[in-house]
Each structure stands twice: as C-alpha cells, then as structure tokens.
Amino acid sequence: MTSSTDNTYQTCLNDLSTTADDGSTSTSPTTDALLQCISASFDATQTSTDNSIDTFFLLYAASLVFFMQTGFAMISAGCVRLNNVQNTLLKNLLDACGASLGFYTVGYAFAFGGTFDENTSTTFIGTSNFFLMGVESDSFWLFQFAFCATSATIVAGTLAERCQMTAYLAYSIMLAAFVYPVVVHSIWSQAGFLSALNANPLCGSGMVDFAGSCVVHITGGMTALIATLILGPRTGRFYDMRGKVLEKPKEFPGHSLALQCLGVSSQIVYVYIMGTINASHLYKLRFLSLSTMRLDIYLMVRVVWL
C-alpha cells in the first residue's frame, strides 16, 4: 500500500518535472524545489485538518449549548401548574424559533459583522453580514446562535403564566435581533469597546467573558427582571381578581418535582461545553471559573420567581 508521503512525493515530482515534445520527462526538479513542494503540501493538509477539527468542536459545542433549551424547558414545565405546562413548553420552543429569525437576519451582523485587524476602530454595532451574506464560517454562526437562544430562554421561567404567546414571540425576536447583539459586540467582537481584543482595550486590558456569564446570562437575567417589574405577579398570587391584596398569598406549587430535577441535571452539560471550548482555543482553564457566575444568576432569577 502506498503511503500518503509517497503519494505527495510522486505528485510533486510530476508537477515540477518538465516534459519534452515527445512526451518524455526531460528535466527533473531540484531537491530544494521538491522539498518546498512537499512541505507546502503537508502544510495545506495540516491546515485543512485543523479547520475540520475546529468546525467539529464548534458544531459539537453548539449542540451542547442548544441542549440547554431542554433543561430550561423542563425546569419551567415542572415549576408551573399543570394547566399551564403546554403553554410554557410552547414558549420555550418559540425561543429558538424567534431567536433564529432575529439572529439570522440582523442579529449576527450587529454582533460580529465586518472585517477586523489590529487597526480596527471601536464601533457600537457591526454593519455587514446581514442575512449571513459573506459569512465565512457557518459553524461559528450556529455556535453563536445557540448562545443567543439560551439568553432568550432564560426569560421563559420569569414570564411563565404571565405573558401571551404573541407578545413572547415578539420579545424573542427583538432580544435576538437588537438587544443581545449589542452586548455581544461590546464584549466579544474585536471592535467592541469592552473587548480584550480591541486595538485599544478599556483600561489597557478590556473584559474577558469566556463563559458567557455576562453576555448571555446577565443579558437574559436583566431582561427577566425588567419583564417581571412590568408584568407583576401572577393573577391570584398576591392579589385577588379585583386587585385587592390577599391577607395570605396563595401558593402556586409546581406540579412536577421530577421535571424540575431533570431540568437542573440537564444544565450540568454546561461543564462539558466549557471543556470543549478550552480544548479548541488558546485560553487557559482559569477562565472556567467565570462559568460559575452564570449559575448564580440563574439561581437568583429562579428563586425570586418562585
């Protein structure tokens, strides 16, 4: 069996050899030219392999991040009353649908649009790659979309039994298209004013949000807090149907502890996400500690809601 090295050698030999008019090989390539050709072929093969591995890691990590949707859905479904389970699950599904529309059309462009180098100036939002036109890596878009959908679904538990379906779909699109991308551009884009990759980073160092504890979870958590203040408590929880304060708040216990436990267990997949990202990037494992912040924010939102 011929090895890949022999094939590369023979290919370079054939490409560099000159052919006479009668079809015979008249001149053999020099040793330097042959070695340069072989080296370039190996470099191209290595680059292709590296790109394939990076793409695999991005797709794998994106699937893990998106699986968190299941965890959020199970927690929300377990925490609501039985008659609202179907409504809550549908809202969690609409998260992904609305976020995909918003992030595909303008969200990604506002977050990462443009080309960057060491002289890139700071901008508020991106101004290119709308509808993914000119995007070089579709796998990177999918990875970022999974985070965007996660940020949107954080609010699902807060709005459970409080919000109409149409309003919730509109919120998901707006968050993914306009709110979340601005935060992403500020911290994760090379042109963001908080980014550590900025040519002139803030305070000389910028901000590193490796696990999305700020970009994803504070964005979703603050949106959930604002939505809670606007919508108020569930009808009949602290006030009666006429708006009179109840002497004793009415308990609205969740209908399934099993679903709540299943949802929490599904969130553990985040640890594997961080391992995947660390395996495919040059950052150090010390940034893994940042992921604990998103768990704290998540628990605060859930405890306040209950």
Side-chain angles (χ1 to χ4, degrees):
M1 181 178 295
T2 305
S3 65
S4 58
T5 303
D6 294 336
N7 290 333
T8 302
Y9 171 80
Q10 190 61 45
T11 300
C12 289
L13 184 62
N14 294 336
D15 292 341
L16 296 176
S17 298
T18 58
T19 304
D21 295 337
D22 58 358
S24 61
T25 301
S26 58
T27 305
S28 298
T30 62
T31 302
D32 289 342
L34 190 58
L35 290 176
Q36 290 178 2
C37 177
I38 295 175
S39 178
S41 298
F42 285 158
D43 289 343
T45 301
Q46 184 63 45
T47 300
S48 177
T49 301
D50 292 343
N51 291 336
S52 299
I53 293 176
D54 289 342
T55 300
F56 166 77
F57 272 118
L58 281 176
L59 295 177
Y60 174 61
S63 64
L64 292 180
V65 175
F66 196 78
F67 183 72
M68 293 178 66
Q69 295 279 342
T70 303
F72 283 112
M74 294 300 100
I75 293 176
S76 298
C79 289
V80 301
R81 291 167 289 179
L82 184 61
N83 60 319
N84 286 308
V85 173
Q86 182 176 356
N87 180 278
T88 299
L89 290 176
L90 184 56
K91 285 180 180 177
N92 277 271
L93 181 61
L94 288 178
D95 282 330
C97 298
S100 64
L101 292 175
F103 203 64
Y104 167 76
T105 53
V106 298
Y108 181 86
F110 289 156
F112 295 102
T115 56
F116 309 104
D117 55 37
E118 64 275 5
N119 298 319
T120 299
S121 60
T122 301
T123 57
F124 178 65
I125 55 175
T127 56
S128 62
N129 301 130
F130 295 97
F131 293 89
L132 300 188
M133 291 186 295
V135 172
E136 297 180 358
S137 176
D138 292 334
S139 58
F140 180 74
W141 176 88
L142 181 63
F143 180 66
Q144 292 297 330
F145 158 69
F147 276 111
C148 178
T150 299
S151 182
T153 200
I154 289 174
V155 191
T158 306
L159 301 185
E161 302 183 320
R162 289 178 173 84
C163 182
Q164 293 184 356
M165 201 69 64
T166 304
Y168 190 80
L169 178 59
Y171 135 78
S172 298
I173 296 175
M174 289 296 294
L175 180 71
F178 301 103
V179 179
Y180 176 79
V182 174
V183 182
V184 171
H185 186 82
S186 299
I187 300 177
W188 280 347
S189 173
Q190 190 171 335
F193 76 100
L194 290 175
S195 176
L197 302 177
N198 193 297
N200 297 300
L202 184 67
C203 298
S205 60
M207 175 181 178
V208 176
D209 183 2
F210 187 60
S213 53
C214 178
V215 174
V216 179
H217 298 278
I218 286 184
T219 302
M222 291 302 297
T223 304
L225 177 61
I226 295 172
T228 301
L229 295 176
I230 294 175
L231 296 177
R234 288 170 288 180
T235 303
R237 179 76 165 90
F238 301 102
Y239 303 88
D240 59 19
M241 300 302 294
R242 297 183 179 180
K244 183 179 178 180
V245 179
L246 298 175
E247 295 182 1
K248 183 179 180 180
K250 185 178 180 180
E251 294 293 336
F252 285 174
H255 86 284
S256 176
L257 181 60
L259 287 179
Q260 297 177 40
C261 292
L262 176 62
V264 172
S265 299
S266 299
Q267 301 303 309
I268 299 177
V269 73
Y270 202 84
V271 177
Y272 297 99
I273 299 170
M274 289 301 99
T276 300
I277 298 175
N278 276 291
S280 57
H281 291 78
L282 297 179
Y283 290 101
K284 303 300 182 181
L285 288 174
R286 63 177 180 269
F287 293 126
L288 184 60
S289 60
L290 292 177
S291 65
T292 58
M293 292 178 59
R294 54 83 49 187
L295 180 59
D296 297 336
I297 298 167
Y298 170 78
L299 291 178
M300 283 191 295
V301 172
R302 293 296 175 178
V303 170
V304 170
W305 180 79
L306 291 175

